[in-house]
Amino acid sequence: YVAEKVEIPDLQTFVMPFGNKHKGELLIDIAKNDPSYIDWMRREIRREPFISLIKQLDNMNKETTEE
């Protein structure tokens, strides 16, 4: 079995494609306005591109808190 390569979209322009709460919103806006939803995604969503996008968000947060 070979995992299918998933192209990771740009974090700055990625729009949430599902969900009652945030469908159609930019993921970076969700992270700013509803961080608990990102926590939920981190725990519950186990597929790409979400895993990589959340890692990018985490890295952005680390950079801003380290300054």
Side-chain angles (χ1 to χ4, degrees), residues 18 25 30-31 39 41-43 47 60 62 64:
F18 61 82
E25 294 180 41
I30 297 168
D39 292 338
M41 288 179 66
R42 192 179 289 110
R43 289 189 312 271
R47 66 182 186 275
M60 282 176 53
K62 272 187 211 167
T64 57

Side-chain angles (χ1 to χ4, degrees), residues 27-64:
L27 188 60
I28 55 170
D29 289 341
I30 297 168
K32 289 177 198 167
N33 300 323
D34 190 357
S36 64
Y37 190 80
I38 302 300
D39 292 338
W40 172 85
M41 288 179 66
R42 192 179 289 110
R43 289 189 312 271
E44 301 296 329
I45 299 180
R46 300 278 182 236
R47 66 182 186 275
E48 292 294 358
F50 302 100
I51 294 169
S52 293
L53 290 169
I54 290 169
K55 283 180 185 173
Q56 288 180 42
L57 283 171
D58 290 344
N59 289 337
M60 282 176 53
N61 290 336
K62 272 187 211 167
E63 290 169 9
T64 57

